Amino acid sequence: MDIEEIIQERPYLKETLLLYKRVREFNDSIAELYRNSMHEGEISYPPSIVDGIFQRFSEIFDIPLESLHPLIDAMRLGQIDLTRLPHNEVSGFLLPYHEDELWMLLFIIGRPFSLGMRRLLTLDDLFYQQGRCPVCNSIPSIASIDEDGKRRLYCSFCGTSGYYNRIGCPACLNEDTSTMNIITIEGEEGFRINTCDACGSYLKTVNTGLLNDLSADLADLISLPLDIIAQGKGFRRRSPNPIGIISML
């Protein structure tokens, strides 16, 4: 199922999905630029391609390039460590952006870097040790249950998927079922929310059958109403959705 078809079915997600369409275009564009410049152990893009990356970002998202100059300079100088984003850490230096705006910018600009690390390391299908992505160490916010009953987690940053215990919270490793609940929403068949009272986080779970027609990214975005419900009840996502947003409220 493509984005236009989903918009026809869920017109209330039009703006979100059209933004994701630009994100995907940016990812594909930078993958070509970055493919021959990536090496294991890097923490950000090489200075030689930074200008090209921001030029494409400016064109695709229709953002004036001059407004990005402080971020461009910081990245050229090696002041931005993209490997820290999955730890929910942004660089401590001063930049003239609101914290939420900076986070979203860094997530979208840095996602081709994360996706490149996945291609370089090829660690799909490994067990998520301590509930963390084996490539970038992020905590997932979306999962599925395979036909054989195994739970698969999906990384919001690099897209790596791998297995984890069927029961338990990957965010805090809690396995006390008395502190866990499942929330379903009428009209959102195929999706549910798994909440953990121990750490106050939630994980969205999608039926595997839906992933035959949807990528994990699109499944995350079209189930945005579940995020709103979960966060309205006081639970929180532990990683951003594919357009860089964690808080929906």
Side-chain angles (χ1 to χ4, degrees):
M1 182 178 294
D2 63 25
I3 289 176
E4 298 302 328
E5 290 177 306
I6 298 172
I7 290 174
Q8 290 295 319
E9 291 183 2
R10 302 172 185 250
Y12 56 89
L13 290 175
K14 181 177 180 179
E15 290 187 13
T16 297
L17 291 168
L18 289 180
L19 177 56
Y20 174 66
K21 190 174 183 179
R22 294 191 185 197
V23 168
R24 197 163 63 180
E25 180 185 353
F26 177 71
N27 290 341
D28 292 342
S29 174
I30 301 308
E32 290 303 314
L33 178 65
Y34 189 36
R35 193 178 306 278
N36 297 322
S37 305
M38 184 164 202
H39 304 284
E40 190 173 348
E42 291 180 330
I43 64 170
S44 188
Y45 297 111
S48 60
I49 66 170
V50 167
D51 285 349
I53 288 171
F54 279 89
Q55 182 66 46
R56 292 299 293 134
F57 182 83
S58 172
E59 293 168 355
I60 291 171
F61 292 96
D62 195 24
I63 296 175
L65 193 60
E66 55 268 22
S67 70
L68 300 170
H69 282 165
L71 193 52
I72 295 171
D73 291 341
M75 193 166 285
R76 278 205 207 105
L77 293 171
Q79 295 175 322
I80 295 177
D81 184 346
L82 294 174
T83 68
R84 303 307 302 169
L85 290 180
H87 299 266
N88 290 331
E89 297 176 7
V90 294
S91 301
F93 57 86
L94 295 177
L95 284 172
Y97 308 102
H98 185 276
E99 183 179 349
D100 291 342
E101 180 185 25
L102 177 60
W103 172 260
M104 191 172 181
L105 281 170
L106 287 176
F107 176 82
I108 294 175
I109 290 170
R111 199 162 193 225
F113 174 86
S114 299
L115 294 171
M117 291 300 297
R118 174 194 177 188
R119 288 191 293 269
L120 195 64
L121 298 175
T122 60
L123 297 179
D124 272 317
D125 292 332
L126 289 186
F127 190 81
Y128 264 52
Q129 297 288 345
Q130 301 297 306
R132 300 273 182 161
C133 171
V135 171
C136 69
N137 208 40
S138 74
I139 299 174
S141 290
I142 189 166
S144 68
I145 305 297
D146 288 355
E147 293 178 356
D148 58 2
K150 293 181 179 180
R151 181 163 60 160
R152 182 184 289 269
L153 305 180
Y154 298 85
C155 177
S156 297
F157 289 86
C158 67
T160 299
S161 67
Y163 293 103
Y164 188 64
N165 302 330
R166 176 65 184 267
I167 303 296
C169 173
C172 70
L173 310 183
N174 172 39
E175 296 183 349
D176 180 0
T177 56
S178 69
T179 62
M180 300 176 192
N181 292 286
I182 295 175
I183 302 172
T184 57
I185 303 174
E186 185 177 353
E188 297 293 336
E189 287 75 17
F191 296 94
R192 69 173 185 263
I193 306 165
N194 294 83
T195 65
C196 175
D197 293 336
C199 67
S201 66
Y202 70 93
L203 181 74
K204 293 192 297 185
T205 301
V206 55
N207 287 354
T208 299
L210 291 177
L211 295 179
N212 293 329
D213 298 319
L214 297 169
S215 65
D217 274 1
L218 285 173
D220 194 352
L221 290 174
I222 69 171
S223 58
L224 187 144
L226 279 75
D227 290 290
I228 295 173
I229 294 295
Q231 293 182 18
K233 293 180 179 293
F235 295 97
R236 61 194 177 105
R237 281 184 71 115
R238 296 300 296 268
S239 59
N241 68 13
I243 57 173
I245 298 175
I246 293 180
S247 176
M248 313 298 162
L249 301 180

